[in-house]
Amino acid sequence: MDALFRSQLVALLPRLRRFARGLTGNADRADDLVQAACERALARMEQWTPGTRLDSWLFRIVRTIWIDDLRARKVRDRAHEREDLSDQVFDGERHIEARLTMEAVREAVSQLPEEQRETLLLIGVEGVSYKEAADILDIPIGTVMSRLARARAGLMRLMERRGRGGDDGKVVRLK
Amino acid sequence: MVGMQRPDETQIMAYVDGELDDAAMAEIERVMEADPDFARYIRDLLDSNAALRAAFNAPMREPVPERLLAPLGAQRARPWRMPSGRRLLAMAASVAAIVVVGGGLALSTGYELPYTITANAPDAWLSSVANYYQAYARTAEGDERSLVDVNAEDVDYLENWFGQRLKRDVRLPKLENQGFKMQGGRVTFIEGQPGAQFFYKSVTGDAIVSVAIAQTKRRDTEWTTAKRNGLRMIYWRKGGYVYVFAGDVDKHVLHGVASAFPDDQRKT
């Protein structure tokens, strides 16, 4: 059990890092979060039921630690601690336009309210089903869908606003 | 658009995410055909979904830091090379069971929805494959590398990478004779089971086909043709796996590509 669990956990590390980076907007903090989640997962290994989705279980742990961390730091209402991740996404100087677009998407996502961001990341990036997202976030599936709809509308609005060159670089937090 | 009502936002979201049942999916596609503005809105949503995934996909290509691997007793992986003379890996690994949610989900709280959402809606997975194909195809002039988890620069590594995730031997279809070159692949879920979707581009650069392979619990089926969002598709199930081909190409081209699939994985 231990060896199998660990090997499956290793295989999931890239996805956990991706989810954590989307939540935190910061590569180092994301890895801190994943590290804490792995430690908790190992400590509570017996709570996971073999045959059920390990990734969902781990996403739930990552998300719980992140929310606890936010509460502890009382940064829920502050802007994200973001960094320019563009060099980690593209090699060299190719696709500058695409890189700017990717940067704009990350910027827009970082401005979404926390509950919309985590829903959007789980479904839009991690590809989990609505039912799995509802289980991970511990909310009804209808709430998942309404948060998702608001997140996507907000994302498109922010991207359009950026496309028009608005906001003068100010961080806008959506409700 | 006469006599047709635009679906509400939650229906639209469920369509974009491939979570609608067939009837609801078909209804939305009827509205799309009748309402170009609505169809454009759906395409924008699909594009933004693709951009979202691309924007956050970097960790899938980065090496995992040692500080995360060490506590798990793992080391950083090195590119894998297939032993000469062997085309298939013998990988003994237990299959991680995936919970398949059966039937429709009861919406006990929140919204009253006029349709059923199913985690494994019959053939909703086809739309998921089609949607990602279309997202990929639309970025073909940009950075499609961002839309795949693994690039095709090392096919051996790619086969091993996906084989480990599918818990099976993976032999990627070689489609050079059909004029298509491998671009890369991504992990996905089809019929509630883990799978991989690969993308090929024609040597002339003007056509893309995708090949998806996943485990399935459904019984073997014959070669079946389908269309999603106007995209031509062919799929079949054999021996616990489902194979899906999709392409915005002439049907003879897609049939030719599907026919070229390795003999042991061909249709029944």
Side-chain angles (χ1 to χ4, degrees):
Chain A
M1 166 71 178
D2 189 13
L4 177 62
F5 183 87
R6 285 171 187 268
S7 69
Q8 291 182 349
L9 191 46
V10 169
L12 285 168
L13 283 174
R15 289 184 66 203
L16 296 177
R17 294 181 75 226
R18 179 170 63 179
F19 180 52
R21 198 174 296 181
L23 288 178
T24 64
N26 178 290
D28 286 338
R29 185 184 274 193
D31 283 344
D32 290 345
L33 180 54
V34 172
Q35 192 168 0
C38 287
E39 287 167 5
R40 186 174 295 187
L42 287 172
R44 301 178 182 181
M45 196 189 318
E46 71 286 349
Q47 292 179 10
W48 175 64
T49 308
T52 62
R53 292 283 296 264
L54 180 60
D55 56 353
S56 293
W57 189 67
L58 289 163
F59 283 140
R60 196 177 306 130
I61 293 175
V62 167
R63 187 249 178 188
T64 301
I65 295 174
W66 171 238
I67 295 294
D68 289 347
D69 187 48
L70 278 178
R71 285 181 182 140
R73 293 165 185 252
K74 297 182 180 175
V75 295
R76 192 181 265 285
D77 295 324
R78 289 188 209 161
H80 244 14
E81 283 182 30
R82 289 187 305 278
E83 62 185 42
D84 181 1
L85 300 174
S86 55
D87 288 344
Q88 297 161 12
V89 180
F90 297 99
D91 299 329
E93 294 302 314
R94 291 191 313 121
H95 307 303
I96 290 174
E97 191 176 343
R99 188 169 68 182
L100 289 173
T101 302
M102 299 300 102
E103 204 175 315
V105 171
R106 286 190 293 270
E107 171 76 19
V109 169
S110 76
Q111 293 175 36
L112 294 173
E114 190 65 40
E115 71 274 8
Q116 291 180 25
R117 180 167 55 247
E118 63 188 12
T119 309
L120 186 65
L121 290 170
L122 280 173
I123 292 166
V125 179
E126 297 306 327
V128 308
S129 71
Y130 289 178
K131 170 68 169 64
E132 289 158 1
D135 289 344
I136 292 167
L137 300 172
D138 197 24
I139 54 177
I141 198 168
T143 308
V144 167
M145 295 174 72
S146 58
R147 284 183 184 176
L148 186 64
R150 287 204 302 275
R152 284 190 172 135
L155 186 62
M156 291 174 84
R157 204 159 57 240
L158 284 163
M159 294 296 291
E160 282 172 12
R161 196 177 294 170
R162 182 184 171 108
R164 292 198 305 268
D167 294 338
D168 301 324
K170 290 176 187 167
V171 172
V172 177
R173 306 226 20 114
L174 298 176
K175 298 293 178 191
Chain B
M1 187 180 70
V2 178
M4 281 194 181
Q5 194 174 359
R6 277 197 178 189
D8 67 29
E9 279 302 305
T10 53
Q11 274 179 294
I12 293 170
M13 294 304 118
Y15 175 80
V16 167
D17 295 314
E19 296 237 0
L20 287 180
D21 59 29
D22 273 357
M25 191 93 66
E27 180 58 33
I28 287 190
E29 286 171 2
R30 271 195 294 275
V31 180
M32 286 171 69
E33 283 177 17
D35 184 345
D37 287 343
F38 178 67
R40 198 172 305 118
Y41 174 58
I42 295 287
R43 280 199 300 275
D44 285 348
L45 274 174
L46 292 170
D47 284 347
S48 74
N49 230 20
L52 179 72
R53 186 178 167 93
F56 289 96
N57 211 33
M60 299 302 291
R61 296 193 298 275
E62 296 171 359
V64 175
E66 290 292 345
R67 71 166 164 134
L68 297 180
L69 290 170
L72 300 172
Q75 293 179 326
R76 194 171 283 181
R78 293 176 181 170
W80 179 89
R81 293 280 172 191
M82 187 180 284
S84 59
R86 294 180 62 190
R87 298 192 70 191
L88 297 175
L89 275 175
M91 291 190 297
S94 62
V95 176
I98 304 298
V99 174
V100 179
V101 180
L105 302 173
L107 304 180
S108 57
T109 54
Y111 282 68
E112 285 291 324
L113 298 174
Y115 51 88
T116 305
I117 295 172
T118 59
N120 57 342
D123 300 341
W125 51 274
L126 273 179
S127 293
S128 176
V129 170
N131 287 345
Y132 211 85
Y133 169 94
Q134 287 170 327
Y136 183 91
R138 272 196 289 277
T139 64
E141 297 302 318
D143 188 57
E144 55 268 67
R145 282 175 54 133
S146 297
L147 282 171
V148 293
D149 294 330
V150 173
N151 290 297
E153 285 144 6
D154 186 330
V155 172
D156 290 348
Y157 176 66
L158 197 61
E159 287 178 324
N160 182 54
W161 195 89
F162 280 114
Q164 286 182 359
R165 278 149 186 82
L166 295 190
K167 309 297 183 192
R168 65 160 287 185
D169 300 338
V170 168
R171 182 167 22 147
L172 301 183
K174 308 290 189 291
L175 301 177
E176 279 85 353
N177 289 342
Q178 282 67 46
F180 286 89
K181 195 167 183 306
M182 162 72 72
Q183 303 297 305
R186 68 165 190 136
V187 174
T188 185
F189 280 83
I190 294 176
E191 298 185 325
Q193 302 291 310
Q197 183 174 10
F198 305 103
F199 296 91
Y200 295 80
K201 191 184 281 188
S202 65
V203 290
T204 52
D206 57 355
I208 292 171
V209 294
S210 94
V211 182
I213 307 168
Q215 295 168 316
T216 183
K217 292 183 175 177
R218 299 172 72 175
R219 67 175 190 273
D220 289 0
T221 58
E222 297 288 338
W223 181 318
T224 305
T225 57
K227 264 196 167 183
R228 284 292 181 279
N229 298 352
L231 185 68
R232 198 180 305 281
M233 306 181 84
I234 296 170
Y235 69 91
W236 66 85
R237 299 183 189 86
K238 186 175 182 182
Y241 290 92
V242 57
Y243 305 92
V244 193
F245 291 75
D248 192 10
V249 294
D250 181 88
K251 70 178 179 184
H252 300 297
V253 172
L254 192 62
H255 281 218
V257 167
S259 300
F261 209 62
D263 285 338
D264 60 334
Q265 297 167 355
R266 285 279 291 281
K267 63 185 185 291
T268 327

